Amino acid sequence: MTKKIPTLSKFLTWSAKMAGNPIAFVAALSVVAIWLIIGFFIDFDTKWILILNTIATLNAALMVFIIQNTQNRENKALHLKIDELIRVTKEAANELIAIEEMEEEELEKIKAKIFQKKDIKNS
């Protein structure tokens, strides 16, 4: 089965892997060290500090989106795996498939029903 992954998704996956790599930390630390060294030579001009603050802010904002994308993808995959386990297990309640899509009231009803079954079995 061949899946075509959109270019943006590929880029976000690659970015998340690279950002979590120890080499990325060393690279970031090196950039900060170089920035500090150059800053001493130009007396940490206001423009110099503003440039670093802008770059750091943009980087942090982009990383938030990359991390959120990764978590959403992993969460969806985990839910699909659990749904498949529920589907193939004979004793499982199939109403639990895609339970994360339900409203809060529906979840509370299912929770009460599950714990009621548990209490009946323990009696």
Side-chain angles (χ1 to χ4, degrees), residues 22-122:
I23 294 172
F25 174 76
V26 172
L29 192 61
S30 300
V31 167
V32 171
I34 292 168
W35 175 81
L36 277 171
I37 292 168
I38 294 172
F40 281 118
F41 289 111
I42 61 169
D43 294 327
F44 291 102
D45 185 35
T46 306
K47 251 186 190 177
W48 185 247
I49 294 173
L50 183 62
I51 290 170
L52 179 72
N53 285 339
T54 303
I55 291 170
T57 301
L58 291 173
N59 183 46
L62 290 173
M63 286 308 297
V64 165
F65 290 114
I66 290 171
I67 292 167
Q68 188 64 49
N69 175 272
T70 302
Q71 287 180 338
N72 288 346
R73 210 170 346 101
E74 289 176 354
N75 196 24
K76 185 179 278 188
L78 183 62
H79 281 288
L80 289 171
K81 290 175 184 179
I82 292 171
D83 288 348
E84 178 64 8
L85 289 173
I86 292 169
R87 190 183 65 76
V88 299
T89 304
K90 291 180 183 178
E91 295 83 25
N94 285 340
E95 64 189 23
L96 297 178
I97 294 177
I99 194 171
E100 67 277 2
E101 304 289 329
M102 294 181 179
E103 296 293 326
E104 192 66 33
E105 297 83 31
E106 293 174 280
L107 293 174
E108 288 300 321
K109 287 178 187 174
I110 292 173
K111 179 181 173 184
K113 188 175 169 183
I114 289 171
F115 283 111
Q116 183 181 11
K117 287 180 185 176
K118 181 181 171 189
D119 291 340
I120 291 170
K121 285 182 182 179
N122 289 339

